[in-house]
Amino acid sequence: MAAAAGDVCGSVAGGRAGAGAAAEARFISSAKGKGLFATKNIRKGETVFVERPVVSSQFLWNALYNYRACDHCLRALETAEENAQRLLGKSSLVLPHPEQCSIRKDLHQQCPRCQVTYCSAECRQAALEQYHQVLCLGPSRDDPTHPLNKLQEAWRNMHYPPETSSIMLMARMVATIKQAKDKEWWIKAFSQFCNKTANEEEEIVHKLLGDKFKWFTPEGFRSLFALVGTNGQGIGTSSLSQWVHACDALDLPMLQREELDAFIDQLYKDIEKESGEFLNCEGSGLYVLQSCCNHSCIPNAETSFPENNFLLHLTALEDIKAGEEICISYLDCCQRERSRHSRNKILRENYLFTCSCPKCLAQADDADVTSDEEEEGEGETDDAELEDEMTDV
């Protein structure tokens, strides 16, 4: 069922997946590499595994525009009401059922030197032990002449929203190795993700290595860019969506339920007019087991972040039999509905492969052009689709 190889597999560093997991990595072929396969029958809606990233980071523009998230696990730090007020541009907004908000501000902590914020003492300590000793800017956090701040500014000037990666993810990888006592372990952990910067058979030039990055000449740094570009998994968190899910679970009288649902529906519409598609705290991370999942335009599993942090849940979209390959889609819902030509153009540019899933094979004789109707339909999102996107994190 897979369309392309996930570049890395192996044990999960710090994650919950592992012994007893419902899936395992297996070698498929030299062309496709490895894939993820079910080790038992999995029912539709069942969580296949939960995984913690090896490293993660919030997107730079996302952070600059006050999408406040834990600097380590990306948990949203605003209350649901604060989140809605900012997205709506209306400080007077009051959300009903405030008790359904899961944010614990009393647990938040800051680095005593640079004042970056964490959702808990555990996250502050985890960051300190892995990479923050090297990357902590101390009193230079707001100094635009500091090399790290200049690097972030240069990245923002080349990567405008919508964002797909961050230079800080790579900085944290380098800092992790520099700070580690067992450097070889971390080098091996990171090297699992990507062995080359371009697919030799396809000869596709990854867009992260385009004209703007020709000055990154050392092959090692080129590999780092390719690693992040082809294996990075987007992360989205939202205290508002957590509040909505909690409200959906409330046992309310019919009239109160109708009133609450109408309030939430209108809130979504108003936020969409004010903030567009930029709704969540967003970043990316590297997940060892998830990165083994190959792509299909008709996936049988999907990733989500229901715990409002970087913990990735892989959930079955349909019944999966033991021995069957577990595939996700590297495309969003709208992209999957586009033509085979358009889908593969996106996949080639971003993930260095041409898809050969059943859907693409069935459409192999379709014209290799993008229709005018498809172009005209880009960017159109109905209200139901919008609500799903806002809450499904």
Side-chain angles (χ1 to χ4, degrees), residues 299-348:
N300 58 6
E302 67 178 357
T303 60
S304 63
F305 300 87
E307 298 187 47
N308 193 34
N309 60 15
F310 61 17
L311 289 177
L312 178 149
H313 289 234
L314 186 72
T315 306
L317 293 174
E318 59 188 54
D319 290 348
I320 303 173
K321 296 180 180 179
E324 184 179 350
E325 186 172 8
I326 300 172
C327 296
I328 61 175
S329 178
Y330 300 172
L331 306 174
D332 62 33
C333 294
C334 293
Q335 291 170 335
R336 291 203 297 273
E337 295 307 313
R338 300 181 67 180
S339 68
R340 173 181 176 272
H341 172 74
S342 296
R343 295 197 307 272
N344 275 285
K345 183 175 183 293
I346 296 170
L347 292 169
R348 284 170 61 88

Side-chain angles (χ1 to χ4, degrees), residues 93-389:
L93 175 73
V94 177
L95 292 184
H97 301 286
E99 75 283 355
Q100 298 303 314
C101 178
S102 61
I103 302 303
R104 292 283 307 277
K105 285 196 168 187
D106 57 307
L107 298 179
H108 294 179
Q109 293 199 3
Q110 291 184 320
C111 169
R113 297 190 65 242
C114 68
Q115 276 70 59
V116 297
T117 306
Y118 300 96
C119 67
S120 64
E122 290 77 13
C123 274
R124 183 174 70 86
Q125 187 62 29
L128 186 67
E129 292 178 354
Q130 183 176 339
Y131 54 80
H132 193 65
Q133 293 177 47
V134 171
L135 295 178
C136 182
L137 294 178
S140 299
R141 182 186 179 192
D142 297 320
D143 179 4
T145 65
H146 189 281
L148 197 56
N149 286 331
K150 291 174 70 175
L151 179 66
Q152 294 180 71
E153 180 64 19
W155 181 268
R156 281 193 294 265
N157 288 335
M158 288 185 277
H159 293 267
Y160 291 96
E163 300 171 272
T164 57
S165 189
S166 169
I167 192 68
M168 290 308 296
L169 188 66
M170 289 167 263
R172 287 186 176 182
M173 293 168 67
V174 173
T176 294
I177 294 172
K178 182 176 178 62
Q179 189 174 310
K181 294 181 179 179
D182 189 351
K183 300 183 189 303
E184 289 300 319
W185 189 93
W186 280 103
I187 291 172
K188 183 178 180 180
F190 288 136
S191 66
Q192 293 179 92
F193 286 92
C194 188
N195 293 322
K196 44 184 174 287
T197 60
N199 187 307
E200 295 174 351
E201 295 179 5
E202 296 281 349
E203 296 184 354
I204 303 170
V205 179
H206 192 275
K207 70 178 184 180
L208 282 180
L209 303 179
D211 291 340
K212 293 180 179 178
F213 294 97
K214 285 183 177 177
W215 50 279
F216 288 126
T217 54
E219 183 63 26
F221 208 64
R222 286 166 54 90
S223 297
L224 190 60
F225 271 91
L227 184 158
V228 171
T230 56
N231 292 281
Q233 163 68 45
I235 300 170
T237 63
S238 168
S239 54
L240 179 60
S241 73
Q242 294 287 304
W243 174 83
V244 170
H245 285 305
C247 286
D248 287 343
L250 289 174
D251 184 12
L252 299 174
M254 182 178 297
L255 181 59
Q256 291 184 32
R257 167 54 60 192
E258 292 176 351
E259 291 176 345
L260 181 58
D261 288 347
F263 173 87
I264 292 172
D265 290 344
Q266 188 60 49
L267 178 63
Y268 284 163
K269 294 175 183 178
D270 293 342
I271 287 177
E272 194 274 336
K273 292 177 182 177
E274 181 69 24
S275 298
E277 64 182 281
F278 301 106
L279 306 173
N280 303 323
C281 297
E282 296 181 344
S284 63
L286 295 176
Y287 295 82
V288 173
L289 199 55
Q290 174 274 335
S291 69
C292 295
C293 290
N294 289 321
H295 164 83
S296 173
C297 296
I298 44 174
N300 58 6
E302 67 178 357
T303 60
S304 63
F305 300 87
E307 298 187 47
N308 193 34
N309 60 15
F310 61 17
L311 289 177
L312 178 149
H313 289 234
L314 186 72
T315 306
L317 293 174
E318 59 188 54
D319 290 348
I320 303 173
K321 296 180 180 179
E324 184 179 350
E325 186 172 8
I326 300 172
C327 296
I328 61 175
S329 178
Y330 300 172
L331 306 174
D332 62 33
C333 294
C334 293
Q335 291 170 335
R336 291 203 297 273
E337 295 307 313
R338 300 181 67 180
S339 68
R340 173 181 176 272
H341 172 74
S342 296
R343 295 197 307 272
N344 275 285
K345 183 175 183 293
I346 296 170
L347 292 169
R348 284 170 61 88
E349 289 179 351
N350 291 276
Y351 300 102
L352 316 182
F353 70 87
T354 298
C355 184
S356 59
C357 73
K359 181 175 182 178
C360 286
L361 291 177
Q363 298 174 347
D365 294 331
D366 292 358
D368 286 342
V369 294
T370 301
S371 66
D372 292 337
E373 291 79 8
E374 183 178 87
E375 292 291 344
E376 291 172 1
E378 286 184 8
E380 295 180 1
T381 306
D382 61 30
D383 292 339
E385 212 171 57
L386 170 66
E387 181 175 342
D388 287 343
E389 289 178 1

